[in-house]
Amino acid sequence: MTELKILALSGSLRAGSYNTALLRAARRIGPGGMTIELYSGLGELPLYSQDLDTGTPPEAVTALRRHIAEADGLLIATPEHNSSVPAALKNAIDWASTGSSPLSGKPIAMAGASPGAFGSIRAQQALRQILAAIGSDVVVKPEVTVFRSHERFDDDGKLTDDFTASLLSDLLASLDRTIRSKRRIPPLTRT
Amino acid sequence: MTELKILALSGSLRAGSYNTALLRAARRIGPGGMTIELYSGLGELPLYSQDLDTGTPPEAVTALRRHIAEADGLLIATPEHNSSVPAALKNAIDWASTGSSPLSGKPIAMAGASPGAFGSIRAQQALRQILAAIGSDVVVKPEVTVFRSHERFDDDGKLTDDFTASLLSDLLASLDRTIRSKRRIPPLTRT
């Protein structure tokens, strides 16, 4: 198998989210041999409760866990809410860290966009700590912090900033290398 | 006004939660001149989305904001999920940090219980960072980390551990002082 399946999770539920727009851009930018599927089910998850985390959890939980388990890696784009990870993203992570715990050992690349000057860097730092506690295999570099995000997309949510596109491309290449090296899959030969 | 109204929020939605049990214990332990109301609406909040955060947000959001605004201070008890704040608690905080933002400047005391050896100390650290970003007035000491929580409550969820009760009492006294000193309310004279 040389084609990698990446599941993309947006930490924002907002329809016009820059983070979701960043994931859409990633689908166009990703290296050959990688398909990126944007997951849209985070808003359907109930708030995590151990009382619901039984052998037969809510359907949205089972779907999330299955999608993560079937993916070769994840790409997460997160906004920053109160200097940390948005509740919707933490909720998805908490659900995917119990039961079959598909996040354990999973290669993950992260990015983030925010209209402010720091591009969700504190949320990403908090996310790194959380994923480290779970034992995910998080790509270290590059850090993709899309600050002043409103200046980097057009009115249709299309990424227009070349530097961001280049960083995102490097991030995806790094995720690709992480997965292939870990699974001993040879790099795709570019012809 | 000398009677203080404290709103108690549990970070766990689990019916048999030790953190909720800790808040119930606080109602018995609190100093004179303080009433503690346990808020039960966190599980009814939708996942935070800016698209829902309009002039007329969901009813559960309005109720949460009103209860926080009307309280003189908060008491939060949090478990630890993946080394950080549970999604349900982060969700409530995110909702209460926008709009009228009743968390801003609000005196808050925190505690936490977990069956492990560290009593949710990492979750509390993350919670302190989040509340600092909002500008809440968080009580610094004592740190109430109820480790090995399953050994400190009886089968009915009643706190049986004297040391924990004493720490909790100190925490509530500290919250009481914080609120009264800030609002220039004279301490209640004990007779």
Side-chain angles (χ1 to χ4, degrees):
Chain A
M1 193 202 80
T2 53
E3 186 79 11
L4 301 184
K5 270 175 62 181
I6 305 300
L7 190 71
L9 305 180
S10 174
S12 173
L13 302 181
R14 188 167 72 90
S17 158
Y18 293 117
N19 283 284
T20 308
L22 196 65
L23 296 175
R24 283 199 203 95
R27 289 197 298 193
R28 294 194 313 274
I29 289 169
M34 174 184 281
T35 59
I36 298 177
E37 180 197 354
L38 184 54
Y39 193 69
S40 58
L42 298 200
E44 290 154 33
L45 293 166
L47 285 166
Y48 181 85
S49 167
Q50 209 178 324
D51 288 340
L52 299 177
D53 196 1
T54 63
T56 50
E59 201 174 321
V61 173
T62 306
L64 173 71
R65 288 177 179 161
R66 189 182 63 241
H67 275 83
I68 294 177
E70 290 174 359
D72 295 300
L74 301 189
L75 172 65
I76 299 177
T78 184
E80 182 169 289
H81 292 177
N82 297 312
S83 295
S84 189
V85 174
L89 179 57
K90 182 59 162 57
N91 192 52
I93 290 172
D94 286 349
W95 276 117
S97 72
T98 61
S100 54
S101 191
L103 284 178
S104 178
K106 182 70 62 178
I108 300 179
M110 73 175 68
S114 93
F118 304 110
S120 87
I121 189 70
R122 292 170 300 189
Q124 290 188 53
Q125 190 63 28
L127 182 56
R128 281 180 198 275
Q129 289 184 346
I130 290 162
L131 293 173
I134 295 171
S136 304
D137 188 3
V138 179
V139 168
V140 177
K141 296 277 180 187
E143 290 184 315
V144 181
T145 55
V146 185
F147 56 94
R148 301 189 64 80
S149 54
H150 52 292
E151 298 176 355
R152 301 178 197 276
F153 295 86
D154 67 16
D155 289 347
D156 298 325
K158 185 158 179 271
L159 181 65
T160 52
D161 181 59
D162 287 345
F163 182 65
T164 300
S166 156
L167 266 181
L168 194 55
S169 170
D170 289 350
L171 179 70
L172 292 167
S174 186
L175 178 62
D176 184 276
R177 280 194 302 277
T178 297
I179 296 169
R180 291 180 191 273
S181 127
K182 187 169 193 166
R183 311 245 310 258
R184 298 171 189 281
I185 304 170
L188 196 73
T189 308
R190 315 285 151 115
T191 53
Chain B
M1 192 202 82
T2 54
E3 186 79 14
L4 301 184
K5 271 175 61 180
I6 304 300
L7 191 71
L9 305 180
S10 175
S12 173
L13 301 181
R14 188 168 72 90
S17 158
Y18 293 116
N19 283 283
T20 309
L22 197 63
L23 296 176
R24 282 199 204 96
R27 290 197 298 192
R28 293 194 312 275
I29 289 169
M34 174 184 279
T35 58
I36 299 176
E37 179 198 354
L38 184 54
Y39 194 68
S40 59
L42 298 199
E44 290 153 33
L45 292 166
L47 285 166
Y48 181 86
S49 167
Q50 211 178 323
D51 288 339
L52 298 178
D53 196 2
T54 62
T56 49
E59 201 175 322
V61 173
T62 305
L64 173 71
R65 288 177 180 161
R66 189 181 64 240
H67 275 82
I68 293 176
E70 290 174 357
D72 296 299
L74 301 189
L75 173 65
I76 300 177
T78 184
E80 183 168 288
H81 292 177
N82 297 312
S83 295
S84 189
V85 173
L89 179 57
K90 182 59 164 57
N91 192 51
I93 290 172
D94 286 349
W95 276 116
S97 72
T98 61
S100 53
S101 191
L103 284 177
S104 178
K106 183 69 63 178
I108 300 179
M110 73 174 66
S114 92
F118 303 110
S120 86
I121 190 69
R122 292 170 298 189
Q124 290 188 53
Q125 190 63 28
L127 182 56
R128 280 179 198 276
Q129 289 183 347
I130 290 162
L131 293 173
I134 295 170
S136 304
D137 188 3
V138 179
V139 168
V140 177
K141 298 278 180 186
E143 290 185 315
V144 181
T145 55
V146 186
F147 56 93
R148 301 189 65 79
S149 54
H150 52 290
E151 297 176 355
R152 301 179 198 276
F153 295 87
D154 68 16
D155 290 346
D156 298 324
K158 185 158 179 273
L159 182 65
T160 53
D161 181 57
D162 287 344
F163 181 66
T164 300
S166 158
L167 266 180
L168 194 54
S169 170
D170 290 350
L171 178 70
L172 292 167
S174 186
L175 178 62
D176 184 275
R177 278 194 304 276
T178 297
I179 297 169
R180 291 179 191 273
S181 128
K182 188 169 192 165
R183 311 245 309 258
R184 299 172 189 278
I185 303 171
L188 197 73
T189 306
R190 315 288 151 113
T191 52

